[in-house]
């Protein structure tokens, strides 16, 4: 049950791109960027029809870019549910992760109950569920904290203790997703939230499970804020929407986080971030 300390970068392609040919091109370019910065765990979640062909391009070993789904059905395979795509089907096409409970799916009808069922379906496979939680807005009396607590409780209510090491939580405040100005949460506020999420998990399932559960952040991440978010927000990785759609913007995120470190653990990032900050300070003093 050892927690993998590598930073996890997950791209959510939503309804992009339009063609398989384009998806292959983008995926190949992202793979190239990832290869230049070995040490991250990287995954792309494309639309369903692109999972199998991209999984074939995924590669093996350390330079693998994994593939994930953006959703799965809450139903078992084999039922008469036209249009549904089961978790086992998705896993059989090569996906390693499945996003569950994304706010855009919640907007289309997902609720705590269906999300808990989807998490269970994913956990029956070898895939890891990336369970999205996040408040629509922040009030001043802390109501949003209760919303987060309830979302955690509902989504993970049926996860057994032995399954928890597979679960990844993605904190995605809805107000920070898809912003034109790309203003994400501040790393200070994010850190507070990470502490709170860990506290909720600790209260419900205990310290061991709380400390091993990976927490990602998603919402207007770009190369400009990625490092601050990981290092000072104290998250284990990022769920990246628009900036993962093209290899250039995703590559820039690799570049700022990578910096040639051999192991891109949170610890290594913190060290290089502090070093860069001190260099800047010293240079300012010398002026
Ligand atoms: C998302 O939709 O999961 C997301 C984080 O989007 P964006 O990065 O574009 O805000």
């Amino acid at each position: 049950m050892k927690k993998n300390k590598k930073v996890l970068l997950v791209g959510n392609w939503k309804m992009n791109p339009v063609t398989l040919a384009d998806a292959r091109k983008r995926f190949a370019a992202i793979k190239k960027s990832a290869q230049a910065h070995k040490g991250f765990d990287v995954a792309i979640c494309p639309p369903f029809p692109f999972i199998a062909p991209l999984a074939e391009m995924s590669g093996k070993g350390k330079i693998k870019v994994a593939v994930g789904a953006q959703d799965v059905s809450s139903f078992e395979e084999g039922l008469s549910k036209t249009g549904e795509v089961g978790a086992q089907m998705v896993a059989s096409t090569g996906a390693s992760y499945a996003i569950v409970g994304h706010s855009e799916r919640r907007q289309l009808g997902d609720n705590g109950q269906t999300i808990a069922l989807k998490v269970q379906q994913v956990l029956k496979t070898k895939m890891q569920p990336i369970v999205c939680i996040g408040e629509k807005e922040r009030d001043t009396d802390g109501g949003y904290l209760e919303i987060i607590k309830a979302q955690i409780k509902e989504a993970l209510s049926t996860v057994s203790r032995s399954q928890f090491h597979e679960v990844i939580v993605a904190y995605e405040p809805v107000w920070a997703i898809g912003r034109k100005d790309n203003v994400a949460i501040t790393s200070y506020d994010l850190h507070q939230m990470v502490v709170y999420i860990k506290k909720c998990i600790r209260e419900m399932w205990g310290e061991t499970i709380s400390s091993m559960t990976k927490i990602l952040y998603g919402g207007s991440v770009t190369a400009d804020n990625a490092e601050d978010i990981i290092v000072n927000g104290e998250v284990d990785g990022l769920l990246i929407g628009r900036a993962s759609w093209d290899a250039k913007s995703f590559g820039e995120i690799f570049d700022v986080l990578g910096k040639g470190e051999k192991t891109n653990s949170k610890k290594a990032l913190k060290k290089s971030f502090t070093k860069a900050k001190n260099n800047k300070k010293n240079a300012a003093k010398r002026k």
Side-chain angles (χ1 to χ4, degrees), residues 23-44:
R24 282 188 201 275
K25 231 193 273 170
R26 291 177 195 218
F27 190 79
I30 286 170
K31 218 181 130 190
K32 212 165 153 199
S33 297
Q35 281 169 353
H37 300 296
K38 297 175 187 120
F40 296 117
D41 282 331
V42 184
I44 293 293

Side-chain angles (χ1 to χ4, degrees), residues 117-228:
L117 290 170
K118 289 180 180 194
V119 170
Q120 268 316 308
Q121 292 298 335
V122 176
L123 287 172
K124 281 187 197 162
T125 73
K126 283 190 177 152
M127 295 188 293
Q128 287 190 262
I130 300 174
V131 183
C132 297
I133 55 170
E135 76 282 3
K136 284 194 184 130
E137 53 197 12
R138 286 216 165 180
D139 45 25
T140 46
D141 54 7
Y144 67 96
L145 294 172
E146 289 308 311
I147 290 169
I148 294 297
K149 190 189 266 185
Q151 287 180 347
I152 295 171
K153 198 171 172 187
E154 282 170 348
L156 305 181
S157 58
T158 57
V159 178
S160 71
R161 299 185 72 78
S162 64
Q163 290 174 317
F164 250 99
H165 64 288
E166 301 290 351
V167 173
I168 298 166
V169 172
Y171 171 61
E172 294 213 315
V174 182
W175 50 267
I177 293 178
R179 288 175 66 119
K180 283 202 182 88
D181 56 8
N182 277 333
V183 174
I185 193 170
T186 65
S187 52
Y188 176 82
D189 285 347
L190 177 58
H191 185 224
Q192 304 277 93
M193 181 52 87
V194 169
V195 171
Y196 179 71
I197 292 170
K198 282 183 184 295
K199 178 175 166 274
C200 291
I201 298 177
R202 190 167 55 243
E203 281 171 6
M204 293 179 223
W205 295 281
E207 176 57 34
T208 312
I209 283 175
S210 169
S211 63
M212 81 185 170
T213 305
K214 265 195 174 182
I215 301 176
L216 311 184
Y217 167 78
S220 297
V221 172
T222 65
D224 291 335
N225 56 27
E227 188 176 35
D228 180 37

Side-chain angles (χ1 to χ4, degrees), residues 12 14 102 104 172 176-178 218-221 239-242:
N12 175 11
K14 309 193 190 200
H102 191 281
E104 287 155 14
E172 294 213 315
I177 293 178
S220 297
V221 172
L239 180 51
I240 307 162
R242 292 157 299 156

Side-chain angles (χ1 to χ4, degrees), residues 47-93:
F48 285 130
F50 303 155
I51 292 176
L54 297 192
E56 275 171 21
M57 298 169 63
S58 168
K60 291 202 169 64
K62 281 191 181 156
I63 49 161
K64 182 176 165 97
V65 172
V67 179
Q70 297 171 19
D71 194 20
V72 294
S73 175
S74 58
F75 298 108
E76 289 282 341
E77 283 75 8
L79 296 175
S80 297
K81 300 286 177 191
T82 303
E84 290 289 300
V85 181
Q88 287 188 63
M89 297 170 183
V90 172
S92 79
T93 61

